[in-house]
Amino acid sequence: EVQLQASGGGLVQAGGSLRLSCTASEFTFEGYVITWFRQAPGKEREGVSSINNSGGSTYYANSVKGRFTISSDNAKNTVYLQMNSLKPEDTAVYYCAAEFYMPTWDLPTGWDNSGEYDNWGQGTQVTVSS
């Protein structure tokens, strides 16, 4: 079982920035799709951003395009989510998830399908105050 650790959450004012980190123990991210999801109280879990370490492709939810950036540091086996210009509506618990990439996976349309991922981190709280 893949062990994922999400960190970097916190309390920030609107307009501020945070950087989330997702690290893995006992396996390498090479060949995996790493995706950040979030879930706000009373709302369904939604995909935020994804990176395919098999080719470097990245994907973003429309609500975060231009504000969030996902990146991968293979030497540190860590995926980052840089979040700028944060808004109160970004408040949620953020989870990272990982799944091995297979060519049959239509990532452009399916990266944010939580059912595709078997490996999840524990979540980190992001709170943006107005």
Side-chain angles (χ1 to χ4, degrees), residues 17-109:
S17 298
L18 284 173
R19 188 178 76 162
L20 305 184
S21 300
C22 178
T23 58
S25 59
E26 301 182 8
F27 89 105
T28 175
F29 275 152
E30 184 177 358
Y32 277 76
V33 176
I34 314 300
T35 297
W36 287 96
F37 289 84
R38 67 186 180 186
Q39 188 165 19
K43 295 188 177 180
E44 292 187 355
R45 187 171 296 187
E46 64 174 348
V48 177
S49 182
S50 181
I51 185 165
N52 181 2
N53 273 340
S54 288
S57 298
T58 58
Y59 307 92
Y60 296 92
N62 288 334
S63 59
V64 306
K65 280 181 181 177
R67 299 188 298 122
F68 291 9
T69 302
I70 193 169
S71 62
S72 180
D73 186 335
N74 291 334
K76 296 183 177 180
N77 211 34
T78 301
V79 168
Y80 301 102
L81 184 67
Q82 178 66 43
M83 307 187 296
N84 298 330
S85 303
L86 282 162
K87 304 175 181 180
E89 50 264 43
D90 294 318
T91 295
V93 177
Y94 285 69
Y95 302 88
C96 62
E99 192 55 55
F100 192 77
Y101 175 70
M102 298 293 289
T104 53
W105 189 358
D106 185 7
L107 276 178
T109 60

